Amino acid sequence: MSSKNSHLSERIALFIDGSNFHSTTKLLNLEVDYLKLLSLFKEKGQLIRAYYYTALPDQSEISPLRKLTDFLDYNGYTIVSKQTKEFTDHVTGERRVKGNMDMELALDMLKMSKHLDHVYLFSGDGDFCRLLSEVQDRGVRVTVVSSTHTQPKLIADALRRKADSFLDLDDIYDELSRG
């Protein structure tokens, strides 16, 4: 069996940090076709789960993000979300919206790692370095999917170094692009 085919039996999962992935693809002018994304990774192994993490505004607010998550939920993704929180910055007096999903992503990746051979993290957030160490210590390979071609850079160098491999979005741009 060739080494290319040996990976086809790998149990894999995708962990998409929605906010970070959206920012990166926007800077790359990449309009992601999420059905193509699923197909691409189904070719890389036995896709166990594709998680998409995002904070959502209140149900009463009209949000294009809600349309995206409904589409993803209907088409094979597992959506992990929570409601955004509004607060006032005491220094500037500005109203801000907050909705960090790092903890949810980390807990799910740790929980799922015993069922997986390879995880793909779609994020450039350096806060995930410790998570990668824990998952790798459990015998799971980790590929970080992001880009080195954005301005400003949205991929932490430490995260790239920690990963077993790095998949640059520029290398799969055409396979993921809508249209």
Side-chain angles (χ1 to χ4, degrees):
M1 183 188 300
S2 76
S3 64
K4 184 177 183 193
N5 290 337
S6 67
H7 290 306
L8 293 178
S9 64
E10 275 191 332
R11 295 166 302 165
I12 64 173
L14 314 181
F15 294 85
I16 303 171
D17 174 353
S19 175
N20 189 283
F21 186 60
H22 173 76
S23 297
T24 302
T25 58
K26 192 171 179 179
L27 287 172
L28 292 172
N29 260 341
L30 171 59
E31 201 173 327
V32 176
D33 181 327
Y34 284 93
L35 297 178
K36 285 183 179 179
L37 189 149
L38 266 189
S39 291
L40 178 65
F41 284 90
K42 283 179 179 175
E43 292 172 9
K44 295 183 179 292
Q46 182 187 354
L47 183 62
I48 304 298
R49 196 85 70 241
Y51 291 100
Y52 188 92
Y53 297 84
T54 189
L56 292 168
D58 183 275
Q59 288 274 18
S60 63
E61 291 183 46
I62 296 171
S63 165
L65 187 54
R66 195 169 300 284
K67 281 177 71 173
L68 173 63
T69 56
D70 286 346
F71 173 82
L72 294 176
D73 189 34
Y74 189 75
N75 286 285
Y77 288 81
T78 300
I79 305 302
V80 182
S81 66
K82 64 183 175 188
Q83 189 171 325
T84 55
K85 292 182 172 59
E86 282 192 41
F87 67 99
T88 302
D89 185 320
H90 296 296
V91 176
T92 65
E94 291 179 37
R95 292 193 53 75
R96 303 192 99 162
V97 177
K98 181 178 167 185
N100 189 318
M101 298 296 296
D102 291 2
M103 183 64 76
E104 289 80 359
L105 189 153
L107 289 171
D108 287 345
M109 190 182 288
L110 286 169
K111 181 175 67 176
M112 284 296 295
S113 66
K114 65 184 168 204
H115 305 290
L116 302 169
D117 301 306
H118 194 160
V119 300
Y120 290 84
L121 173 63
F122 290 71
S123 182
D125 189 339
D127 289 344
F128 289 124
C129 286
R130 181 78 171 96
L131 171 63
L132 267 56
S133 291
E134 285 296 317
V135 171
Q136 289 165 327
D137 286 350
R138 296 169 184 213
V140 178
R141 291 183 331 125
V142 179
T143 297
V144 168
V145 183
S146 188
S147 177
T148 57
H149 300 94
T150 59
Q151 283 302 328
K153 281 212 184 315
L154 294 179
I155 175 74
D157 190 51
L159 187 67
R160 269 189 70 195
R161 291 172 188 260
K162 178 48 77 182
D164 294 300
S165 55
F166 176 73
L167 178 56
D168 200 306
L169 286 167
D170 279 358
D171 295 338
I172 55 172
Y173 190 98
D174 292 336
E175 289 98 325
L176 297 185
S177 186
R178 285 175 66 187

